Amino acid sequence: MITDERIAQLLERYDYLGHALGTPDQFSNEEFVQLSKEYADLGPVVEAANALKAGRVEMADLAEMMASGDDPEMKELAQEEFLELKEKLPEMERSLSIQLLPKDAADERSAILEIRAGTGGDEAALFAGDLFRMYEKYAESQGWKVEMIEGSASDVGGYKEVVANVSGKGVFAKMKFESGVHRVQRVPTTESGGRIHTSAATVAVLPEAEDVDIDIRQEDIRIDTMRSSGAGGQHVNTTDSAVRITHLPTGIVVVQSEKSQHKNRDKAMKILRARLYDMEREKAAAERSEDRKAQVGSGDRSERIRTYNFPQGRVTDHRIGLTLHKLDQILAGEGLTEVIDTLIAEDQAVKLSAMEAGF
């Protein structure tokens, strides 16, 4: 239960921040930015806290009216309002509790989306293409921007590998549970016998890292330039534009092979920074074993998280036992909202339970 004392602390902190931001000269630029962010983040929390506080006060007033009132009609009216409020208050308290859960520092960030065809040959590449289009449409519905960074197309369509930057507010918060192995069960168009094949693709969603998150020393990277290769374009194989960056301490290799060497270097560094940042986050999460239990997914990219079954028109998320017979809508992006929202709600419920249990 959220105590009145806890609510008072929240309101006091919010008031302090409001007054402090009115005198910016006493803070450095960095301190002022941090305080401004905290004030903005606390706004919705304080709104929920005030609503809960007002609800509790009103409930106490109604209880007093029921106990001491002489007018039977007023007592009956007070009882009706009391019972309505009694039903609402637990949900109001739960809403505030969710907002008070520790925030993932990366939740508000953009993300790097990586999709790779797994087992299944050509069919896996086609499925990887389906997943990429699904995320493109979902991103569009959220008002986000998707920019392909690297795409290795297969001969039959789809992608052997595709990397994209998904930019917008809160991308990682909604996309982070998509990391893992996605499995598809369907009859390939090339299969004359009509047999159902099972293929897979791996999805990785990495929070976009900033320069301050990861310090990449120049002596820790090796940059090689190579001739571009691939289909189409008169400039292909005429300039040494492809860039390969190797991070020597970890062995991570990132290759970019578009026409502009300058753009290739920038994009490769962005991917490298995101992968290094993700490694640091995974390391920290592994050290907090209890925190890792309070998650819907472990973040393990080898974990099979979802099955898309075409013959039955269903999608099953194995982590939370969710099955929806909305395959077409989900692949069209619109139905993915229900899946992601359910995953977020379940994650919040698990963390609330862990918090209440004292973990």
Side-chain angles (χ1 to χ4, degrees):
M1 178 179 175
I2 299 175
T3 63
D4 292 339
E5 182 183 6
R6 177 71 174 120
I7 291 176
Q9 290 172 347
L10 285 170
L11 300 180
E12 184 180 345
R13 178 63 179 172
Y14 191 67
D15 287 341
Y16 164 76
L17 290 170
H19 286 105
L21 292 172
T23 54
D25 293 343
Q26 62 179 314
F27 303 106
S28 67
N29 287 338
E30 185 178 341
E31 288 172 332
F32 187 77
V33 169
Q34 289 177 340
L35 291 175
S36 298
K37 186 179 185 309
E38 184 184 354
Y39 185 72
D41 290 343
L42 262 182
V45 180
V46 166
E47 186 177 339
N50 274 324
L52 179 59
K53 180 182 177 182
R56 286 176 175 174
V57 170
E58 185 180 355
M59 197 165 177
D61 290 343
L62 290 168
E64 188 176 337
M65 288 175 61
M66 289 162 54
S68 60
D70 296 326
D71 187 337
E73 191 174 330
M74 288 298 293
K75 287 180 70 172
E76 185 179 349
L77 186 60
Q79 185 177 18
E80 287 179 10
E81 292 182 8
F82 179 88
L83 292 175
E84 286 180 13
L85 200 53
K86 188 178 180 181
E87 287 186 8
K88 289 180 181 177
L89 280 180
E91 184 53 40
M92 293 168 68
E93 185 166 345
R94 185 178 184 279
S95 176
L96 179 56
S97 297
I98 288 172
Q99 293 189 64
L100 289 173
L101 286 172
K103 298 289 190 297
D104 186 333
D107 272 354
E108 291 304 305
R109 298 190 180 193
S110 299
I112 302 294
L113 170 67
E114 302 181 346
I115 304 173
R116 292 179 177 82
T119 54
D122 290 341
E123 178 62 18
L126 289 169
F127 179 50
D130 292 338
L131 290 176
F132 181 59
R133 284 185 290 275
M134 176 182 75
Y135 291 127
E136 274 189 311
K137 292 171 183 174
Y138 175 72
E140 183 181 349
S141 74
Q142 300 297 310
W144 301 335
K145 179 183 177 183
V146 178
E147 178 190 7
M148 185 185 290
I149 297 175
E150 182 77 9
S152 175
S154 81
D155 295 335
V156 297
Y159 294 97
K160 297 174 185 175
E161 177 181 2
V162 59
V163 180
N165 184 211
V166 186
S167 56
K169 184 176 174 60
V171 173
F172 186 67
K174 291 195 172 183
M175 291 284 290
K176 61 184 175 183
F177 296 121
E178 292 303 294
S179 290
V181 176
H182 295 240
R183 187 177 67 166
V184 63
Q185 294 172 329
R186 63 184 173 190
V187 178
T189 55
T190 55
E191 177 59 59
S192 58
R195 292 181 303 152
I196 296 173
H197 283 222
T198 298
S199 306
T202 301
V203 174
V205 180
L206 316 178
E208 191 172 272
E210 299 170 0
D211 290 344
V212 295
D213 298 319
I214 296 292
D215 179 26
I216 301 178
R217 300 186 306 170
Q218 198 61 37
E219 58 265 34
D220 285 343
I221 60 174
R222 185 178 70 239
I223 301 176
D224 301 308
T225 56
M226 307 164 289
R227 286 190 179 276
S228 297
S229 61
Q234 60 179 346
H235 299 292
V236 174
N237 289 330
T238 61
T239 58
D240 293 329
S241 62
V243 170
R244 179 176 62 209
I245 298 180
T246 305
H247 186 251
L248 301 175
T250 61
I252 293 175
V253 177
V254 182
V255 178
Q256 284 293 291
S257 55
E258 294 183 10
K259 294 176 185 176
S260 168
Q261 190 176 115
H262 178 70
K263 286 183 179 179
N264 283 337
R265 180 179 172 128
D266 287 346
K267 288 181 178 180
M269 286 299 292
K270 176 180 280 193
I271 296 172
L272 175 60
R273 196 175 288 112
R275 290 181 183 172
L276 290 172
Y277 181 49
D278 187 58
M279 283 180 63
E280 289 296 320
R281 284 169 48 82
E282 284 189 0
K283 180 180 177 183
E287 291 170 356
R288 298 192 303 269
S289 57
E290 292 300 343
D291 177 68
R292 214 157 164 78
K293 290 177 184 176
Q295 294 180 23
V296 165
S298 67
D300 184 353
R301 310 249 156 71
S302 64
E303 178 187 7
R304 189 192 71 188
I305 64 168
R306 196 174 297 154
T307 296
Y308 304 72
N309 185 295
F310 275 69
Q312 298 177 17
R314 65 170 171 83
V315 174
T316 298
D317 194 288
H318 305 290
R319 294 164 295 181
I320 57 175
L322 174 69
T323 295
L324 297 173
H325 291 273
K326 300 179 178 180
L327 177 66
D328 291 341
Q329 295 97 310
I330 289 170
L331 287 177
E334 60 192 60
L336 188 59
T337 300
E338 184 176 351
V339 179
I340 287 177
D341 287 351
T342 305
L343 284 164
I344 291 172
E346 182 66 20
D347 183 62
Q348 290 171 342
V350 170
K351 287 178 178 175
L352 270 178
S353 178
M355 185 175 70
E356 290 165 359
F359 287 123

